[in-house]
Amino acid sequence: MLELDDNLRFYIFNGNTNLRGGYIRMCATIREEMKSDPRDSRNVYVFINRSCTIIRMLHYERGFYVVYEKRPENGRFKRPVYDSGTGKYKISYADLVCLTEGLRRTEIRLPEAGVYGAKV
């Protein structure tokens, strides 16, 4: 059973990567450049090609590597902003869905209690 949900941690690799290398090259990149373990089943690693036309996600589940790939029919994915302070960053499942659907997520704020009858 394929499993991606909001209980997982999603990490986007921000460097240059050749997606033609398959999961072996992705695992090497995760170990060497992201300083992480690709066999950690709590993590999903996201790779975007240079032209932002392909997204591949690597997930380790139940002793197997699973590679998900998404390509837009038209256009390109929007690359998220990179946090240079950490060298990698974690994104939420909701943000990943927005990224792969070509949407930009914005913050929604509820009005304070008493304004427009809202209860918080």
Side-chain angles (χ1 to χ4, degrees), residues 6-103:
D6 60 354
N7 294 321
L8 298 170
R9 300 177 297 205
F10 294 84
Y11 295 97
I12 296 179
F13 176 66
N14 192 46
N16 294 327
T17 186
N18 182 348
L19 293 180
R20 293 176 290 185
Y23 81 95
I24 294 173
R25 183 172 287 171
M26 290 167 50
C27 287
T29 299
I30 292 165
R31 281 188 204 95
E32 295 166 10
E33 298 193 39
M34 297 179 80
K35 308 292 186 225
S36 193
D37 182 5
R39 292 173 298 175
D40 187 340
S41 62
R42 298 169 298 174
N43 297 338
V44 177
Y45 300 95
V46 181
F47 296 84
I48 305 172
N49 70 340
R50 184 176 296 172
S51 61
C52 296
T53 57
I54 301 171
I55 288 183
R56 287 200 181 141
M57 294 173 275
L58 180 71
H59 183 224
Y60 187 79
E61 53 186 55
R62 295 187 195 94
F64 296 92
Y65 289 104
V66 179
V67 178
Y68 300 88
E69 180 176 293
K70 188 142 187 182
R71 296 173 184 244
E73 189 173 317
N74 297 312
R76 302 181 188 301
F77 294 108
K78 291 177 175 49
R79 187 178 291 273
V81 178
Y82 177 66
D83 180 5
S84 61
T86 61
K88 62 181 178 181
Y89 55 92
K90 184 171 96 169
I91 63 171
S92 69
Y93 179 69
D95 286 341
L96 179 69
V97 169
C98 290
L99 171 70
T100 60
E101 295 303 324
L103 304 174

